[in-house]
Amino acid sequence: MIGMIVYAILGGFILIAVFISNRLVKIFGWSLSPNKLFLLRVGVFFGIFFILFFDHIIGVIQFEYVCHHKATVKLDPDWIKVRRAKFEIKEINPKGYLVPTSCADHNYQDMDTGKIFLSFTQCYRGGGILLETIAFNGDHGGESCVAKELPDILRATNIDALIEKGDSQ
């Protein structure tokens, strides 16, 4: 069923591309050979897809930049002395990006000293206007990123046990 819908949508895009290319030929008074007309139609077809997925393409490029510069992790050398921890999240919305991107600072604080011993930044982005509109399974094509070494650090510090001890006391 989904395949038939996809073929119908592609057929519609092909018809739209043929219509637009025929209009362009009439408006500009071009006399094109069949091969050049075919290439014009193919170009219009891919142009339509580029316009539809423009925000997603830009979002992917932008998100790679954001992840490279903002996704960080900091671990205090004295983390081994921590016995109880408290967890806090602070939302950050970076300005100046075409596709909405948000980041969150995650801070783990030693409850005995009050000092932050582990902090990291995680960033998120949506999938784009078209992907959010046609999402079938609730997945909007968004992404999330953290620093590469974060999973190893969380495993080594056993952060869940520290937070559990902090909540119980």
Side-chain angles (χ1 to χ4, degrees):
M1 183 67 179
I2 293 289
M4 290 175 28
I5 293 171
V6 170
Y7 284 136
I9 291 171
L10 284 175
F13 283 134
I14 290 171
L15 288 175
I16 292 169
V18 167
F19 177 76
I20 291 172
S21 60
N22 287 344
R23 283 289 190 191
L24 288 173
V25 168
K26 281 185 182 178
I27 290 171
F28 293 112
W30 296 332
S31 62
L32 300 175
S33 68
N35 289 339
K36 290 182 181 178
L37 184 60
F38 174 76
L39 290 176
L40 176 64
R41 288 177 178 164
V42 169
V44 170
F45 179 78
F46 284 112
I48 290 170
F49 272 108
F50 181 75
I51 289 170
L52 290 175
F53 291 103
F54 177 74
D55 62 337
H56 184 71
I57 294 167
I58 296 300
V60 168
I61 295 167
Q62 165 191 298
F63 195 65
E64 286 296 321
Y65 175 81
V66 170
C67 283
H68 182 69
H69 290 290
K70 298 223 185 264
T72 58
V73 62
K74 295 175 189 158
L75 181 63
D76 188 18
D78 292 336
W79 70 269
I80 199 77
K81 297 177 184 174
V82 176
R83 299 290 169 235
R84 310 179 296 140
K86 179 169 76 169
F87 177 64
E88 177 182 283
I89 297 178
K90 180 183 173 191
E91 284 290 323
I92 304 169
N93 291 321
K95 303 282 188 238
Y97 295 108
L98 184 63
V99 176
T101 302
S102 64
C103 294
D105 281 336
H106 299 253
N107 295 318
Y108 294 90
Q109 183 179 20
D110 183 355
M111 290 183 71
D112 297 329
T113 64
K115 185 177 172 186
I116 294 175
F117 68 94
L118 173 64
S119 66
F120 67 91
T121 304
Q122 183 173 17
C123 296
Y124 313 90
R125 78 164 179 89
I129 296 168
L130 182 69
L131 290 177
E132 289 188 11
T133 304
I134 64 170
F136 294 114
N137 59 355
D139 180 22
H140 299 292
E143 291 182 80
S144 170
C145 72
V146 293
K148 292 176 186 170
E149 56 273 354
L150 181 65
D152 295 331
I153 289 173
L154 291 178
R155 221 177 353 266
T157 58
N158 198 8
I159 200 76
D160 293 332
L162 293 175
I163 290 174
E164 193 173 303
K165 287 179 185 175
D167 289 340
S168 66
Q169 294 181 357

